[in-house]
Amino acid sequence: MKQISKLFSVLTLLAISLFATSIHAQIQPKSYELKYNLPAIDSNAGWEDLSIPLGNGYFGVNLFGGVETERLQLSEKSMFMRDTTQNNSSYKKIALTNFAETYIDFPHSWAGVTNYQRKLDIRNAIAKVSYTYEGVNYTREIFTSYPDKVMVIKLSADKPGKVSFTLRPKQVFLGKMRKGIVTATDDRITLSGVLEPYKLDFEAQYRVKNTGGTMTFQNDSRGENGTITVQNSDKAVIVMALGTNYKLSNTVMKGGNNDSDPLDQKLIGLPHPHKEITNSVDLAFNSGYELLLKNHIADYSSLFSRVELDLGEKPSDKTTDKLLDDYKAGIGSTYLEELYFQYGRYLLIASSRKGTLPANLQGTWNALRAAPWSGGYWLNINLQMNYFPAFNTNLAETFTPYLDYIEALIPSQEDIASDFMTKYNPANQNAAKGACGWTAGTGNSPYRGCEPNGTSGFGTGPFVCQNIWEFYEFTKDKDVLKKIWPTIKGSSDFTSRIVKKIPGFDDYLLCSPSWSPENQYRSGPNAKKHIDIPGTAYDQQWIYQGHINTIRAAKLIGGNDSIVKSLEKQLPLLDPVEIGASGQIKEFRTEKEYGEFGDPLHRHISQLMGLFPGNLINTNTPQWLDAAKITLTKRGDRATGWSLAHKINMWARVKDGNHTYLLYQNLLKYNTKHNLWDNCPPFQIDGNFGGTAGVAEMLLQSHAGYIEPLAALPDAWKNGSYKGLVARGNFEISAQWENNKILRMQIKSNAGGLCRVFYPGLAKAKLKTLDGKSVKFKTSKKNLISFKTLKGAEYLLEL
Ligand code: FUC
């Protein structure tokens, strides 16, 4: 017996030493939690700073964790209502509004509570509130499930008969623009109503199951405020489903672009969500808590657990608010830096899933009558930034809502494109109305597109397409390529027609009118003077980048599309990057010294779009890369949340790890709320997503034709490892490093094909398959190696 067990341990050791070569086996999944020892204050400021966000793509929930009353505030991305309390800027007139509130009243009092904890487990997307009151330990568990389309709440106590509460959903902001009621029957509460002007029908249904004790329902005399009361139960489970009659389509995106347009009632005739919601809530009710939880964890963790990052510290014991405040005071925490990175991935999964609308300016979360900037789809950078981490942090599935949305938007934008052609370049129109491709502008919503203008001009379409093209670059999926082709082709079709020669600007083909987003006003004595200079860097770089992407796509599609020739002919005339007298990349064509026009510290860094998210400016264009660094330095290290996030990605692309890290620290220190939400200010989700993408960009780059691990590693991240980041070509990369140098890399080839990797010392590395067979590679330039991969195979590089 003894001998057998000895043999067994020898075999185990052998197995460990064989498989120890896999980096994955060595990275222990760490616990990531937001945690607090207080409820969030019940106010708008408390919502923004300390509530815990949950979401399943379809809807969002913010948990406050009160002891007397729990507040679970609900959001849904199509809940647009006219805000009659605002009369200024148009973006505030029809805006995303709070879906409703869910209150749960308990016979408890904060004064008698001990051991209070409120947390969000990011690894499983489950929130928990627990405390002791009069000798009983109470627990609430809450999650939102994508597969079952419901919110699930479990209320329990460690002594029998102690669970008592009243469930009290509530309509908010009722008035001329919002009608609605809440009614209860048996174990069900229905909250329903309609919003103006679009005639949006909305509904939520709750069902309650108690174990032991009693359950009763109540309605007020007007039948408008139904509640359910559970008394002396052992535990209870509440399930809730919600939805609206909104359906994303070309028709819904057309018309109604002017606030008094009768087409504003555009949802009339679409089926009421009642049936679907009844179905979801009843199915969930019958499934029971355990099965719902199992489905949820299986679904969520299949996405979340693909990526791990370990920078050396154990999970902190501090509450998240304390951890952040200490960080602001200069007490570093690589755990917080990991947490913020992983939280961005959590938020993307929570706000963008197949079949839902894309993540909006606040992801999906909004407690206000009218969300700031309408809670819409802002295309001068914000929506694009939401999806910066979709591919490199291994969440490509979250991208489909973006693509669906842009596809629905295009028909109305085709008409706009024709109008602009007639107005600005009729000589080149050459096509019927609606057949000149498409163009985009800044302020879009689930209900309408918009025209290009000074906040974002003709470069916006190709900017939108950059994410779309990367969907293919990162997945190498031929079906994706076929699907995205008409969209990227349509964008280049328009931009190739709109550019023209302008007297006094040599033979170049320039965009005119042309704007540098939001930075069109001269600062200083001539403040507010409009700048009207053709061919801004923003437009020229995006048009150039769009042409390159479309040409590459066309060649892969195999068709001999006539557009390719004309795009290729235009490329040398687009002159996308010009270097000025300060060594900077010029933002405006007639600019000499840096900052001559516009605000030199402006949050939009439009002249560097070709650096990130574009890839025109890279190590193969060293002069441009140097000029990009000069420009970044001049733009400064402080800005709005999303702007800092953009700078993080750009500093990573100029390969300055320590400066990138400084910007990442600034984002955490100056533009982050205690629930780790990005604070533009106000709260905007784009900074979270851009920050997460930036960390990935520090650890892995692949935009210059090869994979470069730790391309911008800061000294502060001396030792570490990561698993599962994705490089273009669909290579999943893991790496381990010590003293800022890579020891080993693991490469999983998801699509086959040639793999090119650059890293100092790589020419001398050993390459083998995961099961130990050595593999030959070619060294083309110093330390740039390449080898053929088999689809599905994994490789190890040891330095
Ligand atoms: C762009 C930015 C603003 C803000 C808005 C939602 O217009 O310039 O800073 O983020 O989007």
Side-chain angles (χ1 to χ4, degrees), residues 259 351 381 603 698:
D259 275 345
S351 58
I381 192 160
R603 60 190 185 284
M698 288 158 89

Side-chain angles (χ1 to χ4, degrees), residues 55 87 153 167 208 215 223 235 265 268 320 393 429 435 455 472 483 529 543 608 617 640 677 687 708 766 798:
N87 54 11
I153 308 167
L167 172 65
V208 184
M215 173 160 59
K235 65 171 186 187
Q265 300 197 338
I268 286 183
T320 308
T393 81
Q429 184 141 15
T455 63
Y472 171 71
K483 186 163 164 51
K529 188 169 171 200
I543 293 173
L608 298 188
I617 303 169
T640 59
W677 262 353
E708 186 179 3
K766 282 196 192 104
E798 286 177 340

Side-chain angles (χ1 to χ4, degrees), residues 452-516:
N453 60 28
T455 63
S456 209
F458 300 130
T460 313
F463 186 4
V464 167
C465 288
Q466 182 68 14
N467 298 63
I468 293 175
W469 165 243
E470 292 195 338
F471 190 22
Y472 171 71
E473 286 224 291
F474 278 88
T475 57
K476 285 278 149 178
D477 182 333
K478 286 272 153 57
D479 292 337
V480 165
L481 184 64
K482 270 190 225 140
K483 186 163 164 51
I484 66 172
W485 170 241
T487 300
I488 58 176
K489 179 184 166 185
S491 166
S492 293
D493 192 8
F494 173 75
T495 58
S496 65
R497 288 167 192 267
I498 200 78
V499 289
K500 58 187 177 197
K501 287 185 189 165
I502 312 260
F505 286 88
D506 301 325
D507 274 344
Y508 292 125
L509 289 173
L510 302 182
C511 192
S512 177
S514 184
W515 301 280
S516 204

Side-chain angles (χ1 to χ4, degrees), residues 152-155 165 207-211 235-239 285 288-289 292:
V152 184
I153 308 167
K154 185 168 97 177
L155 303 165
F165 64 88
R207 288 192 70 186
V208 184
K209 196 183 264 179
N210 58 326
T211 309
K235 65 171 186 187
V237 174
I238 304 170
V239 288
F285 183 83
Y289 185 81
L292 293 170

